[in-house]
């Protein structure tokens, strides 16, 4: 129990109780600075009194002393009004503005006698980027070592208390569970539970880590309190029953007051509450001694948890580092006191850290909130490509995962029809002077293309796009490039667009990805995109006249289901019969309304097949190619003439749109490239001089001698030895594989005759051409390596 330093009652107004003046604002840097932010933390000690505003003090604390941690929803600062608490430091009262939702959470903690707690908003200096760079990687440790993580779902409303009691009294009463899911009376209770599952807290990205790592967690909602394990079990049971049988939805559909709405809950398995429960249960494998081993890669987590938001977009990546199998935040690994305590010279420490990193599955991942947003995302893409199987390394550029930045411009409806709104999105983050305005490249797909999202009412999680063709890593559904792997021509460059013929692009920063592949065909004919997963009538006409008593064209039904089952396996043999049966139910000359048949049809198997059709065609266009006349499914922003390409290291075909650079634009890019290379070379030389000097000083210190003519011998030896390193440096310069050393003359190219082997045949990109990635596509009959037999010439694509 924490008692206040001063036994005085502050009035509810914002004025100081002595001088009637507003109290000064609290400053972390001045009143409670952290001398070592990589090891220290602050803890809020809430005073056990009834004073208004709430009082407490911030203290520096080693992690050995017991504390709790709060998990809450930051929300939008524009939407959440601010209030204040009082921080008492050295007998002085300071005002600390906080969101009203956080003030309610602290009040609930005080009511439940939780007085010593770590709260990110208060205990970290949010205005100190350097401190955040150290403290954010520690958050997994902070939550993992806390006695209990308290989850604040928000203030009580008419549904929350009903839902919490429904869980305790009915859902977890397993003796009556079967009767409950058939009972038509607790409609209001199921509604209340569904509303509770959609509380804003469940949309936060950080909660995945906070719950997964917690030793113990407790939910607070208004005055109600519940153990996390009880809540999680109830949600898991509901998800299992509803996803597997939809029995509860059938109960809701029979209710007259709800308008006999089919699929009242939408897709429960896609709700964040259900995802959180299932994913946190599977994130770690339990080992002996209560140890845990992470199960999933960073790429899998970022791709899977796309419906979880972060108020800071960089946390799309950073919030998952501590729970990924292959990453650890860099400042929590061999940093701080650990490295400083070593007595070896700095250059030996550096080598040792690198060697230890090579021997660990989990690799250091650099956290830096000062980087422009596009650089953070590009860093992740390069990491994912480097850690992936080279046969499908480029699948990451097809899978939507990046949050949509707040765009600084809007397109009219007419412009949106003609132009892909995912092209060169402005992030709104600042870049260093002279680097232009920050934008996302087309090879970072945003969650605007995600398969699921909340409907307009915010009440149901519903489908809004087709599923990604590449699936989740390490799943491999197709193999369009056969066994052709990502080649050594891969690299990423960046620069600023100037002198472009398209004036809107001038002044924008770009990231170019160079990848090898070939052009398979062009888009010749297009039909309107499928709305709501329905099969348009002009699609059926394009496929040819369907005889009511005959079979469907093989390529057409395979295209409708993308030639796969929902599990990513080959399409079952009964699919064409069921699709044909569904098509016969449409009004002649009209589109097939798949949702009506799914919701009201009399054959459940037909409904399941049509769900697969919806997952493949929703918002996609049907197309025919120019040369090989294949059917296919393409993104809604596809235009005739777009190129269908096979990229080595990508499991599905992609659509690229060609753009031509002006002469002045090419010259400017070459100038920028040369300038960067000179800067890199200058930095390399400076680093070499510093290392040689440090080596000389370390040797002299070990010998305990004064500088003499012999003392320079290490330097001379180093110079003689440096000649042997020159060829390797030249070779590295010629190889040009790093983004800092960008050229277009890589000499190693994958052999066409023997995948996996390389020939030293130069492959250059066309410096006057670059491409926009429109997205992934399905091309019937070309999804399993068949395109390689066409022996098309390889191209080095520059994709922006």
């Amino acid at each position: 129990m924490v008692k206040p330093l001063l036994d005085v009652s502050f009035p509810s107004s914002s004025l100081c109780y002595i001088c009637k003046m507003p109290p000064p604002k609290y400053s972390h840097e001045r009143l409670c600075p952290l001398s070592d932010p990589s090891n220290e933390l602050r803890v809020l000690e809430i005073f056990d009194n009834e004073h208004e505003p709430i009082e407490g003090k911030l203290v520096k604390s080693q992690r050995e002393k017991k504390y709790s941690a709060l998990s809450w929803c930051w929300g939008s600062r524009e939407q959440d009004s601010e209030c204040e608490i009082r921080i008492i430091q050295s007998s002085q009262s300071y005002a600390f503005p906080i969101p009203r939702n956080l003030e309610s959470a602290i009040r609930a903690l005080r009511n439940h006698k939780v007085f010593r707690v770590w709260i990110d908003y208060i205990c970290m200096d949010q205005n100190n980027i350097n401190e955040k760079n150290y403290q954010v990687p520690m958050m997994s440790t902070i939550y993992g070592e806390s006695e209990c993580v308290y989850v604040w779902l928000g203030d009580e409303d008419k549904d929350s208390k009903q839902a919490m009691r429904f869980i305790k009294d009915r859902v977890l009463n397993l003796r009556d569970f079967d009767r409950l899911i058939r009972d038509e009376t607790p409609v209001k209770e199921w509604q209340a539970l569904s509303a509770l599952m959609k509380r804003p807290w469940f949309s936060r990205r950080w909660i995945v880590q906070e719950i997964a790592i917690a030793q113990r967690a407790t939910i607070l909602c208004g005055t109600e309190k519940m153990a996390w394990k009880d809540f999680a079990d109830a949600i898991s049971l509901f998800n299992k029953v509803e996803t597997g049988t939809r029995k509860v939805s059938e109960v809701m559909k029979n209710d007259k007051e709800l308008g006999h709405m089919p699929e009242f809950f939408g897709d429960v398995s896609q709700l964040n509450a259900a995802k959180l429960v299932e994913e946190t249960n599977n994130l770690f494998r339990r080992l002996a001694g209560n140890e845990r081993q992470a199960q999933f890669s960073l790429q899998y987590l970022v791709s899977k948890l796309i419906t979880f938001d972060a108020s800071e977009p960089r946390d799309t990546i950073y919030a998952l580092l501590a729970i990924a199998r292959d990453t650890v935040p860099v400042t929590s690994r061999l940093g701080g006191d650990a490295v400083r305590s070593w007595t070896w010279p700095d250059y030996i420490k550096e080598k040792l850290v690198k060697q230890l990193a090579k021997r660990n599955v989990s690799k250091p991942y650099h956290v830096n909130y000062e980087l422009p947003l596009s650089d953070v995302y590009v860093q992740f893409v390069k990491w994912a490509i480097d850690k992936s199987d080279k046969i499908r390394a480029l699948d990451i550029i097809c899978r939507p995962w990046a949050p949509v930045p707040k765009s600084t411009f809007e397109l009219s409806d007419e412009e949106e029809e003609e132009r892909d709104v995912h092209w060169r999105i402005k992030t709104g983050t600042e870049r260093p002077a002279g680097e232009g305005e920050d934008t996302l490249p087309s090879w970072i797909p945003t969650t605007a293309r995600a398969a699921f999202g909340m409907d307009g009412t915010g009440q149901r999680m519903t489908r809004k796009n087709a599923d990604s063709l590449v699936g989740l890593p390490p799943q491999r559904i197709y193999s369009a490039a056969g066994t052709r792997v990502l080649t050594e021509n891969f690299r990423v460059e960046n620069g600023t667009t100037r002198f472009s013929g398209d004036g809107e692009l001038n002044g924008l920063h770009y990231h170019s990805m160079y990848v090898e592949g070939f052009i398979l065909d062009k888009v010749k004919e297009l039909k309107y995109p499928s709305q709501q997963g329905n099969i348009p009538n002009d699609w059926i006409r394009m496929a040819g006249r369907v005889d009511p008593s005959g079979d469907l064209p093989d390529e057409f039904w395979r295209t409708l289901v993308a030639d796969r089952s929902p599990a990513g396996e080959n399409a079952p043999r009964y699919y064409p019969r069921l699709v044909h049966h569904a098509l016969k139910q449409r009004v002649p000359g009209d589109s097939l309304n798949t949702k009506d048949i799914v919701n009201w049809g009399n054959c459940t198997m037909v409904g399941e097949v049509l769900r697969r059709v919806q997952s493949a065609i929703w918002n996609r266009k049907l197309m025919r190619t120019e040369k090989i006349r294949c059917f296919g499914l393409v993104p809604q922003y596809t235009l005739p003439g777009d190129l269908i390409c096979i990229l080595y290291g990508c499991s599905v075909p992609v659509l690229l749109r060609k753009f031509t650079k002006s002469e002045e634009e090419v010259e400017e890019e070459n100038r920028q490239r040369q300038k960067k290379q000179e800067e890199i070379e200058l930095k390399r030389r400076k680093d070499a001089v510093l290392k040689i000097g440090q080596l000389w000083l370390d040797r002299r210190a070990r010998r305990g001698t004064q500088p003499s003519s012999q003392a320079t011998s290490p330097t001379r030896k180093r110079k003689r030895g440096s000649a042997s390193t020159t060829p390797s440096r030249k070779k590295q310069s010629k190889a040009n594989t790093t983004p800092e050393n960008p050229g277009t003359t890589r000499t190693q190219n994958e052999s066409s005759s023997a995948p996996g082997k390389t020939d030293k045949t130069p492959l250059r990109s066309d410096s006057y051409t670059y491409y926009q990635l429109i997205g992934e596509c399905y091309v019937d009959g070309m999804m399993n390596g068949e395109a390689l037999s066409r022996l098309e010439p390889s191209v080095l694509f520059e994709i922006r």
Side-chain angles (χ1 to χ4, degrees):
M1 181 181 298
V2 181
K3 294 294 185 182
L5 295 176
L6 297 174
D7 189 17
V8 291
S9 178
F10 288 85
S12 59
S13 70
S14 60
L15 300 181
C16 174
Y17 77 102
I18 295 176
C19 60
K20 304 302 181 182
M21 295 291 289
K25 287 193 175 181
Y26 187 84
S27 168
H28 292 86
E29 185 177 5
R30 184 167 57 88
L31 299 171
C32 192
L34 298 180
S35 55
D36 182 8
S38 68
N39 191 47
E40 293 179 312
L41 57 89
R42 303 181 188 92
V43 172
L44 175 67
E45 294 185 346
I46 306 168
F47 290 166
D48 182 16
N49 58 34
E50 300 298 326
H51 294 173
E52 296 295 338
I54 296 172
E55 299 169 357
K57 66 176 180 178
L58 275 176
V59 296
K60 285 192 289 187
S61 175
Q62 298 296 325
R63 296 197 299 268
E64 290 77 14
K65 192 171 180 181
K66 292 182 179 180
Y67 63 91
S68 296
L70 177 68
S71 177
W72 66 291
C73 180
W74 279 51
S76 170
R77 294 191 181 184
E78 294 79 8
Q79 297 174 355
D80 196 0
S81 59
E82 284 194 346
C83 54
E84 291 181 349
I85 62 171
R86 293 286 187 266
I87 302 295
I88 311 299
Q89 211 84 14
S90 301
S91 301
Q92 171 69 46
S93 173
Y94 296 91
F96 200 115
I98 60 173
R100 188 165 299 280
N101 184 44
L102 178 55
E103 195 267 352
S104 298
I106 297 174
R107 189 178 303 279
L109 291 172
R110 188 174 69 174
N111 293 339
H112 286 285
K113 304 301 180 183
V114 180
F115 299 115
R116 184 175 166 82
V117 61
W118 185 88
I119 303 173
D120 51 5
Y121 192 94
I122 298 174
C123 298
M124 278 197 302
D125 186 352
Q126 300 298 326
N127 296 318
N128 188 332
I129 298 297
N130 183 60
E131 181 178 309
K132 285 181 67 177
N133 287 339
Y134 280 99
Q135 294 270 285
V136 168
M138 290 172 55
M139 287 178 67
S140 61
T141 305
I142 293 171
Y143 279 94
E145 293 181 355
S146 66
E147 278 191 304
C148 179
V149 173
Y150 286 91
V151 173
W152 176 245
L153 292 186
D155 290 320
E156 188 176 289
D157 63 19
K158 63 179 182 179
D159 291 328
S160 61
K161 179 173 287 190
Q162 186 178 34
M164 298 280 274
R165 292 180 177 175
F166 181 56
I167 289 174
K168 297 174 185 176
D169 300 339
R170 300 293 305 274
V171 179
L172 294 179
N173 182 4
L174 299 183
R175 289 184 177 181
D176 294 329
F177 186 75
D178 285 347
R179 188 182 303 116
L180 171 65
I181 61 177
R182 293 191 300 268
D183 189 355
E184 297 190 359
T185 56
V187 170
K188 298 294 184 184
E189 286 83 352
W190 286 117
Q191 275 187 281
L193 177 59
S194 176
L196 187 69
M197 292 172 66
K198 294 160 191 167
R199 286 252 175 161
W201 181 81
F202 291 104
S203 67
R204 288 185 60 238
R205 202 171 191 84
W206 279 104
I207 65 172
V208 182
Q209 170 181 280
E210 294 162 5
I211 293 298
I213 292 176
Q215 299 181 45
R216 182 168 63 91
T218 299
I219 285 182
L220 303 176
C221 185
T223 58
E224 293 291 322
K225 181 179 178 181
M226 180 185 295
W228 168 258
K229 63 178 182 180
D230 292 338
F231 177 84
D233 287 349
I235 298 304
S236 186
L237 285 167
F238 174 43
N239 181 29
K240 179 67 176 177
V241 168
E242 176 59 18
T243 303
T245 66
R246 293 186 172 82
K247 287 184 178 180
V248 184
S249 282
E250 289 299 317
V251 169
M252 307 301 278
K253 188 167 72 171
N254 293 333
D255 189 83
K256 183 178 180 180
E257 291 185 12
L258 297 179
H260 301 289
M261 180 186 294
E263 296 190 348
F264 175 84
F265 301 106
D267 196 319
V268 172
S269 66
Q270 296 298 322
L271 284 173
N272 283 344
K275 279 188 176 182
L276 177 65
V277 167
E278 302 305 330
E279 291 302 323
T280 52
N281 184 59
N282 299 324
L283 278 176
F284 297 100
R285 177 185 291 128
R286 300 287 176 177
L287 304 178
N290 204 29
E291 292 291 323
R292 296 182 297 185
Q293 184 181 69
Q295 292 287 88
F296 302 113
S297 68
L298 178 63
Q299 182 183 177
Y300 172 88
L301 293 174
V302 171
S303 303
K304 175 73 171 180
L305 304 175
I306 57 176
T307 53
F308 291 86
D309 301 325
S311 56
E312 162 57 71
R314 296 169 184 82
D315 288 338
T316 302
I317 314 298
Y318 296 160
L320 303 174
L321 295 179
I323 55 176
R325 182 189 65 221
D326 51 353
T327 61
V328 287
V330 71
T331 50
S332 68
R333 181 183 182 79
L334 294 177
D337 293 340
V339 174
R340 282 194 291 273
S341 65
W342 294 346
T343 58
W344 300 298
D346 289 343
Y347 74 95
I348 293 181
K349 292 180 184 179
E350 183 181 340
K351 288 184 178 180
L352 185 56
V353 169
K354 288 181 179 179
Q355 288 300 318
L356 289 173
K358 290 179 180 178
R359 295 175 178 270
N360 283 277
V361 174
S362 297
K363 306 297 182 184
Y365 194 104
H366 189 56
V367 174
N368 187 352
Y369 284 92
E370 294 179 322
L371 284 177
L373 184 59
S374 69
D375 289 5
V376 174
Y377 287 176
V378 168
Q379 176 193 19
F380 165 68
V381 171
K382 290 164 63 178
W383 171 278
I385 289 173
D386 182 60
K387 299 300 177 188
S388 299
D389 181 345
K390 298 311 175 202
I391 290 181
R392 54 177 178 269
L394 291 178
D395 283 3
I396 185 64
I397 71 174
C398 299
R399 190 183 299 117
W401 62 267
V404 181
K406 293 181 179 179
S407 183
T408 55
F409 64 93
E410 295 183 356
L411 298 176
S412 65
D413 293 339
E414 293 77 12
E415 289 174 317
E416 189 170 330
E417 286 294 325
E418 297 297 325
R419 177 176 173 183
D420 188 348
V421 294
H422 308 287
W423 173 232
R424 302 293 285 272
I425 302 174
K426 298 177 183 179
T427 68
T429 58
E430 293 186 2
R431 298 198 64 86
E435 290 193 5
E437 192 170 2
D438 197 49
T439 63
L440 297 184
S442 62
W443 41 269
I444 294 184
T446 69
T447 52
R449 306 183 186 191
F452 290 90
M454 295 301 291
D455 65 7
T457 65
Q459 297 301 310
R460 297 194 304 163
M461 181 68 73
T462 59
R463 181 175 290 281
K464 62 178 186 177
N465 286 302
D467 290 345
S468 172
L469 295 171
V470 298
L472 290 170
Q475 187 179 22
R476 186 184 179 193
I477 301 174
Y478 303 100
S479 53
T483 57
R484 300 296 296 269
V485 300
L486 182 71
T487 71
E488 293 184 4
N489 289 303
F490 170 81
R491 67 178 186 276
V492 175
E493 293 182 5
N494 68 91
T496 306
T497 303
R498 294 190 176 95
F499 309 112
S500 171
D502 184 351
E504 291 185 3
L505 299 182
N506 287 323
L508 300 185
H509 193 83
Y510 66 83
H511 292 271
S512 289
M513 176 182 286
Y514 290 82
V515 292
E516 189 177 345
F518 61 88
I519 299 172
L520 173 64
D521 207 337
K522 286 183 180 181
V523 174
K524 175 67 174 178
E525 189 177 356
L526 282 170
K527 296 301 178 183
Y528 284 112
S530 165
Q531 302 295 320
Q532 301 292 308
N534 296 327
I535 303 176
N537 184 55
D538 61 348
W539 285 31
I540 299 171
R541 291 202 308 268
M542 185 176 179
R545 189 177 299 277
V546 179
D547 186 345
S549 62
D551 294 330
L552 279 176
D554 190 64
E555 59 179 349
F556 182 57
W557 74 259
R558 289 190 183 277
T559 299
L560 290 179
V561 297
D563 199 23
R564 290 293 185 271
S565 70
E569 301 167 345
N570 289 334
R573 62 170 298 139
Y574 57 79
Y575 265 23
R577 179 179 294 274
L578 298 182
V579 172
H580 185 259
H581 176 80
L583 286 172
K584 287 196 297 184
Q585 298 181 47
R586 73 185 180 99
V587 176
D590 200 358
S591 300
L592 176 67
N593 190 320
T594 57
K595 294 185 73 173
D596 281 353
I597 298 177
V598 167
N599 293 328
W600 306 101
N602 54 13
C603 179
T604 57
M605 290 298 294
V606 171
E608 290 304 311
V609 170
L610 291 184
R611 288 182 189 274
R612 171 55 193 161
V613 171
Q614 291 175 344
S615 70
I617 71 173
W618 200 294
N619 272 350
R620 284 186 173 134
K621 291 180 176 179
L622 183 69
M623 68 102 181
R624 261 198 190 278
T625 64
E626 183 177 82
K627 293 187 297 184
I628 53 181
R629 303 295 293 166
C630 289
F631 273 129
L633 297 171
V634 294
Q636 60 178 323
Y637 292 105
T638 304
L639 297 176
D642 285 342
L643 303 175
I644 302 167
C645 302
I646 303 294
L647 304 181
Y648 303 147
C650 187
S651 65
V652 297
V654 298
L655 281 168
L656 299 180
R657 188 170 297 163
K658 184 177 179 179
F659 291 84
T660 302
K661 306 175 191 176
S662 66
E663 187 77 35
E664 295 83 357
E665 191 175 357
V666 173
E667 292 176 358
E668 174 64 17
E669 289 180 8
N670 289 334
R671 188 193 66 78
Q672 293 182 29
R673 188 177 293 118
Q674 180 64 29
K675 182 180 178 181
K676 286 181 182 178
Q677 192 148 343
E678 290 172 356
E679 291 173 352
I680 292 168
E681 180 65 18
L682 179 61
K683 183 179 183 301
R684 186 192 64 78
R685 290 179 180 178
K686 287 181 178 179
D687 291 344
V689 170
L690 290 174
K691 284 188 177 181
I692 292 171
Q694 184 65 47
L695 177 65
W696 179 77
L697 290 173
D698 292 337
R699 288 188 178 182
R700 192 185 75 175
R702 286 198 300 271
R703 291 175 181 173
T705 60
Q706 298 296 324
S708 64
S709 59
Q710 292 181 350
T712 59
S713 60
T715 305
R716 291 199 301 269
K717 289 180 181 179
R718 186 72 174 176
K719 287 181 177 179
R720 287 197 300 269
S722 66
S724 63
T725 64
T726 302
S728 64
R729 287 201 301 269
K730 289 181 179 179
K731 184 176 180 180
Q732 183 180 5
S733 177
K734 182 180 279 187
N736 251 335
T737 59
T738 65
E740 293 82 13
N741 190 19
T744 57
T745 58
R746 283 286 307 173
T747 58
Q748 286 209 332
N749 178 31
E750 189 179 52
S751 169
S752 299
S753 57
K757 296 184 179 181
T758 58
D759 291 335
K760 293 187 177 180
T761 54
L763 184 65
R764 296 176 179 270
S765 64
D766 181 357
S767 58
Y768 287 86
T769 302
Y770 68 91
Y771 300 85
Q772 174 195 356
L773 175 65
I774 306 301
E776 61 184 356
C777 63
Y778 171 84
V779 183
D780 188 62
M782 294 289 162
M783 301 300 291
N784 296 297
E786 298 91 342
L788 295 175
S789 63
R790 300 184 62 82
L791 301 177
E792 300 287 351
S794 291
V795 177
L796 186 59
F797 298 102
E798 179 190 356
I799 307 175
R800 293 187 179 178

